[in-house]
Amino acid sequence: MMMIAYLERQQQQRQQRLVPDGDVELDPDHSILRALDSDATGDVVAAAAARDFGGMVFLQPARFLRPSSADDVAGAVVLASRSSRLTVAARGNGHSVCGQAMADGGIVLDMRTLGPAMEIVRCGGTAAAVDVPAGALWAEVLSWAVRNHGMAPVSWTDYLGLTVGGTLSNGGISGQAFRHGPQVANVTELEVVTGDGERLVCSPSSASDLFFAVLGGLGQFGFITRARIPLVPAPKMVRWIRVVYGAFDEYARDAEWLVTRDDSAAFDYVEGFVFRNDASDPVSGWSSVPIPPGSAFDPARIPADSSPILYCLELALHYDHIQADNVDERAKEMLRPLRYLRGLEFAADVSYVEFLSRVGRVEEEARASGTWATPHPWLNLLVSSSDIADFDRTVFKRVLSRGIGGPMLVYPLRRSKWDKRMSVAVPDGELFYLVALLRFVTPQAGEAAVKEAVAQNQEILSHCRNKGYDFKVYIPHYESEADWARHFDGDWTRFIERKRRYDPMAILSPGQTIFSRARPPAAVAASAS
């Protein structure tokens, strides 16, 4: 079995040369490097790839290259395969939080420069899809598809500043996933560069094992360079609704009922979040709930015996202008059975693009306050519905009762919407919850606040393990073989076999710290002679 790699945290400047087999230094004017290297100074560009959104891991690559095609990506992988130690990482928009898209002393590929441009694909009849370069942002896909064709994918992430290849390598979850599945369940074809530099097109019917291996595969089996995403006619408008709950059992009961209804009777989007029963907290208190901004939150509607933690269910109904006359009655009818606190319901009518882009406003505010540039010790979990009530009692109401300086999402998903052939690991039960602890640290809080947040995350993980929860870390990062084996559980053997099949030298995505780099056969033979 391949050994697990351990990458030392907070590593300083690395040696700036590439060494192939033997002791001969690789010419920095190598044709591949010359073709892909940035025009900027190498050290400056490489430094940009040495950190990510998490801001807690710093690993300096030897080169930060900018491929324009899948052939360029393949060339960089082949170059690395001819060395004894080089690895290659694919970096999208740099939004990982634990160094997953880094390559210590290796090559980092800037996938944002990847082409060709998006292109519509007619699939027979009225069906259509879009071929998207892996480095495109979901915000760009939304804008292009709606503006040019009046169409859109059906499954999204909340934050659209992520790349297509990045989310497909992890999962891609938002409030549409209970109906349509995650983003990894909404792709029909991929172009992939494997660990031996081979460029392949795969789908559920052609090279299907590679197709499903790469989806949620953490970049371990190949780099996605292009994805074909099905499109449907884009709705024009959204009725955006939020309703407040004082008790978690009622919140969870309603949320689970909503995500298991027939599509004809279901909302188009179901999410939710935890917030503090507090007027003084501008980030996680009462003021975080009302829509549109400026709407009043009436605390008199909250029962006197409520806990310090409250819950908000967030819902959406799509409609077109010709359906506007009955959207009020439809929304009223769908809300009637729910057990939320009457008088604490909020609604706004916004365009479909505006609704999907809503987190962009959060980014603008975070950039203005400086919290976008500070470390982000985020933790994302998938917790079985059988354990979520205990998680609420112990974690939300005790460990996190003072808030985290950012959103605390919690909403149910359906296991049947995830294809078991994919590499992504999820809990066993049909219903499980995404718990997203999206911490923002103010510039004034300093390093102590970051350490406290990291320690709190570890406390939460320890609690989940000690209580025997059926849970998984979403967008995982571990540093021991035992932890990775526990994460993939019964699929760990399959994961290892796929690694041997598609990236036997463990060149790809070293920042995930799963496998160690293996030497090429020629180098092993030379060292033995």
Side-chain angles (χ1 to χ4, degrees):
M1 182 181 295
M2 297 182 182
M3 296 300 292
I4 301 299
Y6 177 78
L7 297 183
E8 182 179 350
R9 305 295 90 181
Q10 307 294 325
Q11 184 161 341
Q12 300 302 313
Q13 186 80 10
R14 297 291 294 176
Q15 187 178 10
Q16 295 294 302
R17 64 176 191 166
L18 305 179
V19 183
D21 302 329
D23 299 322
V24 181
E25 182 174 340
L26 181 65
D27 185 353
D29 288 329
H30 189 286
S31 60
I32 293 176
L33 298 182
R34 191 169 60 249
L36 304 185
D37 225 338
S38 167
D39 293 334
T41 303
D43 289 352
V44 174
V45 175
R51 62 171 296 147
D52 58 17
F53 184 71
M56 298 176 291
V57 177
F58 302 89
L59 299 173
Q60 189 80 5
R63 288 289 190 276
F64 186 32
L65 307 182
R66 293 180 168 171
S68 61
S69 68
D71 287 338
D72 289 344
V73 173
V77 173
V78 169
L79 176 65
S81 71
R82 293 172 180 168
S83 77
S84 60
R85 64 178 179 83
L86 277 179
T87 55
V88 185
R91 175 188 171 96
N93 209 23
H95 210 75
S96 58
V97 296
C98 292
Q100 289 98 326
M102 297 181 189
D104 186 17
I107 298 173
V108 174
L109 302 177
D110 182 2
M111 303 299 276
R112 290 285 292 132
T113 63
L114 202 61
M118 283 180 269
E119 181 180 359
I120 196 75
V121 178
R122 298 299 174 182
C123 305
T126 60
V130 57
D131 277 351
V132 184
L137 302 181
W138 284 102
E140 296 167 345
V141 176
L142 173 65
S143 175
W144 182 90
V146 172
R147 183 181 66 252
N148 294 316
H149 301 283
M151 305 186 83
V154 296
S155 188
W156 298 93
T157 57
D158 285 335
Y159 176 58
L160 300 184
L162 306 175
T163 61
V164 170
T167 64
L168 293 181
S169 297
N170 287 280
I173 299 173
S174 189
Q176 305 88 6
F178 79 96
R179 284 188 66 169
H180 303 291
Q183 290 181 316
V184 288
N186 288 277
V187 55
T188 59
E189 183 179 283
L190 297 171
E191 180 183 65
V192 175
V193 173
T194 61
D196 58 4
E198 189 174 3
R199 175 182 168 184
L200 299 169
V201 174
C202 54
S203 71
S205 60
S206 176
S208 60
D209 183 70
L210 176 62
F211 177 80
F212 290 112
V214 167
L215 293 171
L218 308 177
Q220 292 302 300
F221 314 115
F223 293 148
I224 299 170
T225 55
R226 177 182 60 81
R228 181 166 292 177
I229 311 295
L231 300 175
V232 299
K236 297 293 190 299
M237 298 293 293
V238 172
R239 171 64 57 88
W240 182 12
I241 301 167
R242 286 179 175 177
V243 291
V244 173
Y245 290 77
F248 184 77
D249 60 341
E250 294 181 338
Y251 169 86
R253 191 182 306 122
D254 281 355
E256 293 183 16
W257 180 72
L258 288 172
V259 302
T260 52
R261 302 201 74 191
D262 291 338
D263 286 353
S264 61
F267 283 95
D268 295 294
Y269 166 101
V270 176
E271 281 198 17
F273 58 92
V274 174
F275 68 101
R276 296 182 66 202
N277 188 3
D278 187 348
S280 64
D281 186 342
V283 176
S284 304
W286 297 341
S287 61
S288 65
V289 175
I291 52 172
S295 301
F297 185 99
D298 183 3
R301 300 286 185 171
I302 302 172
D305 59 351
S306 293
S307 76
I309 293 294
L310 301 174
Y311 312 89
C312 179
L313 196 58
E314 186 169 53
L315 311 166
L317 274 176
H318 298 166
Y319 67 96
D320 295 321
H321 296 300
I322 58 174
Q323 300 169 316
D325 291 343
N326 67 3
V327 69
D328 290 339
E329 185 58 34
R330 184 178 172 211
K332 182 179 179 180
E333 185 66 24
M334 295 176 76
L335 289 173
R336 184 174 290 115
L338 304 185
R339 301 169 181 84
Y340 65 89
L341 299 174
R342 264 48 185 181
L344 289 177
E345 60 273 310
F346 306 88
D349 291 291
V350 297
S351 73
Y352 179 68
V353 171
E354 183 181 356
F355 175 73
L356 291 178
S357 306
R358 65 200 180 280
V359 179
R361 293 190 295 274
V362 177
E363 178 182 354
E364 292 174 2
E365 294 169 359
R367 288 187 183 277
S369 67
T371 57
W372 197 259
T374 58
H376 300 92
W378 288 9
L379 178 64
N380 294 278
L381 303 173
L382 303 175
V383 180
S384 171
S385 63
S386 62
D387 298 311
I388 197 66
D390 189 73
F391 186 96
D392 169 68
R393 286 189 294 270
T394 307
V395 178
F396 286 138
K397 287 189 171 74
R398 298 178 188 174
V399 179
L400 302 178
S401 62
R402 294 183 298 163
I404 60 172
M408 296 184 285
L409 307 184
V410 56
Y411 59 89
L413 301 164
R414 297 172 61 183
R415 178 67 178 84
S416 55
K417 297 295 183 177
W418 299 67
D419 195 311
K420 294 182 179 181
R421 293 172 291 179
M422 298 184 297
S423 292
V424 63
V426 300
D428 292 330
E430 167 59 9
L431 290 178
F432 58 89
Y433 282 72
L434 172 69
V435 176
L437 306 179
L438 309 180
R439 303 173 187 270
F440 285 83
V441 179
T442 64
Q444 298 77 24
E447 185 177 348
V450 177
K451 290 182 178 179
E452 180 182 356
V454 171
Q456 199 172 69
N457 287 345
Q458 291 303 315
E459 179 185 357
I460 293 168
L461 289 171
S462 295
H463 169 77
C464 292
R465 285 192 292 265
N466 294 338
K467 293 297 290 285
Y469 288 172
D470 177 15
F471 85 104
K472 301 292 182 184
V473 176
Y474 175 60
I475 314 179
H477 185 78
Y478 297 109
E479 292 180 350
S480 78
E481 182 172 357
D483 284 337
W484 281 113
R486 184 185 304 112
H487 175 77
F488 287 107
D489 197 20
D491 292 327
W492 177 232
T493 299
R494 184 185 69 176
F495 198 88
I496 292 172
E497 288 302 319
R498 282 174 164 175
K499 185 67 171 179
R500 288 173 173 161
R501 186 176 306 135
Y502 300 116
D503 183 26
M505 290 191 290
I507 291 170
L508 307 180
S509 303
Q512 297 284 0
T513 68
I514 305 176
F515 300 100
S516 62
R517 172 70 160 89
R519 301 180 70 190
V524 174
S527 64
S529 60

